Amino acid sequence: MKNKRLKIARIERDMSQEDLAKAVGVTRQTIGAIENGSYNPTLRLCIEICKVTGKTLNDLFWEEPQNEK
């Protein structure tokens, strides 16, 4: 499942994938893979991404049940 909320949070901070990757210590490809849903990050990485974007784990990574979308 694509993570559009992460992409939006990153853009709201005026950050490229490369900027976010450097801030959390991963490659740009990792951020791209998280955003397109092909990689599930570790909890530690999720927390780092939240710190940098100013969002919570729920804001960025909690999946809503299908019937609530």
Side-chain angles (χ1 to χ4, degrees), residues 25-69:
V26 297
T27 65
R28 182 205 54 79
Q29 290 84 353
T30 299
I31 299 300
I34 295 168
E35 287 182 2
N36 74 30
S38 63
Y39 178 74
N40 288 322
T42 64
L43 181 56
R44 173 179 247 151
L45 179 53
C46 290
I47 291 169
E48 288 302 312
I49 290 170
C50 289
K51 287 178 184 176
V52 171
T53 59
K55 301 290 185 179
T56 67
L57 287 169
N58 284 347
D59 292 339
L60 298 181
F61 297 104
W62 187 258
E63 290 185 23
E64 297 176 5
Q66 291 292 346
N67 59 355
E68 292 183 23
K69 287 185 178 180

Side-chain angles (χ1 to χ4, degrees), residues 11-26:
I11 291 169
E12 286 174 347
R13 290 275 188 179
D14 196 29
M15 297 180 88
S16 66
Q17 287 182 345
E18 183 72 26
D19 295 333
L20 180 56
K22 285 181 182 179
V24 299
V26 297

